[in-house]
Amino acid sequence: MCLSNPVRIRRQVRFLQRQFLQEGGLPFTNILSMEHISQALTDAEVTWKDRVYPPLVTLWVFLSQVLSQDHSCRGAVARLIAHRLAHGESECSALTGSYCRARRRLPERFFSAVACQVGRVLDSQVDPKWLWKGRRVYMFDGTTVTMADTPANQQAYPQIPTQRPGLGSPIARVGAILSLSCGSIVGLGVCRYAGKGQGEVSLLRKLWDILSPGDILLGDRLMANWANIAMLQQRGLDLVSRLNKANRKADFRKGKRLGKDDHIVRWKKPSSIRAVDRATYQSLPDFITVRETRIHVLTRGFRTKSIIVVTTLLDPEQTTKADLAFIYRQRWNNELDLRSIKSTMQMHDLRCKTPELVRKEIWTHVLAYNLIRTVMAQAASEHDIQPRTISFKGAMQTLEAFQPVIEFMVGRNAELRQELYDQLLKCIASHRVADRPDRFEPRKRKRRFKLYDFLDKPRNEAKLDMLKGVKEK
């Protein structure tokens, strides 16, 4: 790492810290520390020249880009120019070429290291009151993102196989492990949408080593297969999931009865498991012991009337049937968190034109998401509430409004700046998720789309038809 101007580097780190309340007497102020950033730069073997776009400036501009509404490079560079002029520095070029080249120079592992470090440090420092029965619960689920339709992106992340060439967009599958207590992303993987070894279960198996013995994994029915449960138990992890009825049926007449629709059974090892090699298969036990519980959903308006929960939490006194119903229902937070980063932060359609930059863009979204979650945790700690009761969009909007004022207060009265931080956290804590127990809505749209036909042929062919005056049928 080049440290030709350590004073400027520390100033850049402090600027990043101020933008996300990482200074003063607030809680969680060591999440984005100088040590963590320096270690990430060193591990990624980053070197640079002391010019307009050193790594930390590039990182801040990239963060401002993913947090803005238009996501444009032009707007991000304009914000940098305004920042430089406000601090008495010379202006830089308003063209985006230098900034885009700076993003390409930074290694992908630098972005991933900083993003994951922020999420894991935040999760490790949460208030014990935010945990479930004193244990850390993590959720896993997958989603998809599309990106710019370029040859490089199509080669790395091909469009859906059923689409005609030229009509689809490159698509990637993203799988994330999230903390139930604070919502931070502690691990993330990216792969193709289709193909062998490209599914959600395969992504989970690449990520679950970041979990510690004693942790609980909360997943959907794809996770509830014999191999997953056995390998999770070998790692000292517990699973709470839904029974995959495509692979197994529950018979509550068998096994050790714990109560009505609640029993412990043994699952025999399958004759073959395609996802593991022979040595791994032989190392797995002949049987695994699981608990199956049927939970009835009595709320009107819900589509599902009963579900069967599969878990390795076998003690009915420590974990009652009601506890399993409660914790499995918390899995909905996984869907809300993915919605926050995809819809609220607009990560569903990525703008970069090469696969490496696409992954960097994903990691920058994750970093911004984790930093916002840090501010939400600060507000929750200061006002003695649960982080899950705070609106993510409200926190994001409030932080965006306060950031220019925070920067304006640099070098001024420290007490006033602390008062500004306190007011910011108070505003964020006031944006609570409404108490809407058992809410349900019709799965229909009210607003009509514009009456344009779908593009049913490659764009260049459609433009040629327009030049030739061919009319649509």
Side-chain angles (χ1 to χ4, degrees):
M1 185 177 73
C2 173
L3 293 175
S4 59
N5 195 340
V7 175
R8 185 178 181 186
I9 293 173
R10 284 194 295 269
R11 186 169 67 248
Q12 293 167 0
V13 172
R14 285 197 297 270
F15 171 75
L16 274 175
Q17 291 173 333
R18 284 194 302 271
Q19 292 287 292
F20 296 95
L21 279 64
Q22 291 290 291
E23 66 173 5
L26 301 174
F28 306 105
T29 52
N30 61 342
I31 303 298
L32 191 65
S33 66
M34 178 71 180
E35 292 74 17
H36 293 154
I37 294 177
S38 299
Q39 187 62 45
L41 289 170
T42 302
D43 293 344
E45 300 178 354
V46 178
T47 59
W48 70 88
K49 296 180 180 179
D50 199 7
R51 293 181 178 174
V52 175
Y53 291 101
L56 298 185
V57 172
T58 305
L59 178 62
W60 170 70
V61 177
F62 210 167
L63 278 171
S64 72
Q65 182 180 359
V66 301
L67 287 173
S68 67
Q69 289 297 312
D70 63 354
H71 279 29
S72 68
C73 294
R74 184 188 303 169
V77 173
R79 283 186 288 272
L80 175 63
I81 296 174
H83 169 77
R84 289 176 63 90
L85 293 176
H87 288 77
E89 300 179 13
S90 61
E91 75 278 7
C92 61
S93 172
L95 300 179
T96 60
S98 297
Y99 165 58
C100 294
R101 288 190 292 271
R103 288 191 309 178
R104 286 197 296 268
R105 285 195 299 268
L106 272 179
E108 179 187 342
R109 59 182 179 273
F110 167 69
F111 292 91
S112 61
V114 175
C116 289
Q117 185 68 31
V118 169
R120 293 169 189 173
V121 174
L122 172 60
D123 175 67
S124 67
Q125 298 182 7
V126 298
D127 192 322
K129 295 185 298 185
W130 301 347
L131 304 179
W132 183 73
K133 292 182 174 292
R135 299 183 66 178
R136 299 186 184 276
V137 181
Y138 297 93
M139 305 173 292
F140 176 82
D141 203 356
T143 185
T144 58
V145 293
T146 58
M147 60 202 73
D149 191 6
T150 64
N153 286 343
Q154 281 282 10
Q155 183 176 5
Y157 302 106
Q159 64 186 44
I160 297 176
T162 56
Q163 290 180 319
R164 290 175 55 192
L167 298 185
S169 296
I171 185 170
R173 188 185 304 278
V174 178
I177 296 180
L178 299 102
S179 168
L180 178 62
S181 59
C182 62
S184 66
I185 295 178
V186 299
L188 182 135
V190 184
C191 66
R192 295 186 174 196
Y193 174 77
K196 185 177 181 180
Q198 308 296 312
E200 292 182 12
V201 175
S202 298
L203 277 178
L204 172 62
R205 292 175 181 173
K206 295 176 182 177
L207 297 173
W208 62 23
D209 286 337
I210 66 177
L211 304 180
S212 302
D215 293 341
I216 300 174
L217 182 64
L218 185 58
D220 58 17
R221 69 184 74 195
L222 285 177
M223 309 299 114
N225 62 62
W226 193 96
N228 277 351
I229 296 175
M231 289 188 282
L232 286 171
Q233 287 183 321
Q234 286 183 339
R235 289 163 170 79
L237 304 172
D238 284 309
L239 175 71
V240 177
S241 182
R242 188 174 175 181
L243 180 68
N244 190 343
K245 294 184 179 180
N247 298 331
R248 193 177 298 271
K249 304 294 182 182
D251 187 351
F252 288 96
R253 297 171 298 179
K254 300 179 180 179
K256 179 182 177 181
R257 189 172 187 272
L258 303 177
K260 181 178 174 59
D261 293 337
D262 189 8
H263 69 164
I264 295 176
V265 293
R266 300 176 73 193
W267 287 3
K268 184 179 179 181
K269 180 165 66 172
S271 58
S272 64
I273 303 175
R274 293 183 299 175
V276 301
D277 55 32
R278 184 173 182 82
T280 304
Y281 175 83
Q282 293 178 343
S283 68
L284 297 175
D286 293 332
F287 293 90
I288 59 172
T289 302
V290 299
R291 179 181 177 185
E292 298 174 342
T293 301
R294 177 181 283 118
I295 298 171
H296 296 279
V297 182
L298 304 178
T299 307
R300 297 180 63 182
F302 281 44
R303 290 179 299 167
T304 304
K305 299 305 178 184
S306 69
I307 60 175
I308 297 178
V309 174
V310 176
T311 181
T312 53
L313 300 171
L314 306 181
D315 192 336
E317 295 183 357
Q318 293 184 356
T319 309
T320 65
K321 187 175 179 179
D323 291 333
L324 290 177
F326 172 81
I327 192 62
Y328 184 76
R329 187 170 183 178
Q330 298 306 302
R331 200 191 73 80
W332 182 246
N333 286 292
N334 201 349
E335 307 294 338
L336 300 181
D337 294 342
L338 292 177
R339 183 188 68 180
S340 294
I341 194 170
K342 281 189 63 178
S343 299
T344 306
M345 297 183 63
Q346 303 179 44
M347 198 186 77
H348 45 74
D349 293 317
L350 302 172
R351 303 172 64 93
C352 292
K353 299 182 179 180
T354 63
E356 185 180 10
L357 275 175
V358 164
R359 292 190 294 270
K360 292 177 185 179
E361 189 175 358
I362 292 174
W363 282 116
T364 307
H365 275 89
V366 172
L367 175 58
Y369 171 86
N370 281 340
L371 289 171
I372 295 172
R373 284 291 181 186
T374 300
V375 178
M376 293 170 64
Q378 291 174 320
S381 179
E382 288 288 284
H383 294 83
D384 195 23
I385 58 179
Q386 292 283 334
R388 287 289 180 185
T389 65
I390 299 177
S391 166
F392 179 87
K393 187 169 185 177
M396 180 177 169
Q397 292 170 333
T398 305
L399 181 62
E400 181 183 8
F402 270 76
Q403 279 179 337
V405 185
I406 291 174
E407 186 57 24
F408 177 76
M409 295 297 294
V410 174
R412 291 171 172 80
N413 192 310
E415 293 182 2
L416 291 177
R417 191 163 68 248
Q418 186 65 38
E419 184 179 348
L420 179 65
Y421 289 161
D422 294 338
Q423 186 63 34
L424 168 58
L425 296 182
K426 181 180 178 181
C427 291
I428 290 177
S430 67
H431 295 303
R432 307 289 293 277
V433 178
D435 184 16
R436 296 170 291 192
D438 304 326
R439 174 193 179 191
F440 65 93
E441 297 288 345
R443 299 172 68 88
K444 297 180 180 180
R445 296 177 181 268
K446 182 177 181 180
R447 294 185 180 275
R448 270 56 174 174
F449 292 104
K450 294 183 178 179
L451 299 178
Y452 290 114
D453 293 332
F454 288 105
L455 188 66
D456 58 359
K457 61 179 64 176
R459 186 172 298 274
N460 60 336
E461 295 182 13
K463 292 172 71 175
L464 286 175
D465 289 344
M466 293 174 65
L467 290 175
K468 296 176 181 178
V470 177
K471 296 184 179 180
E472 298 286 345
K473 293 183 180 180

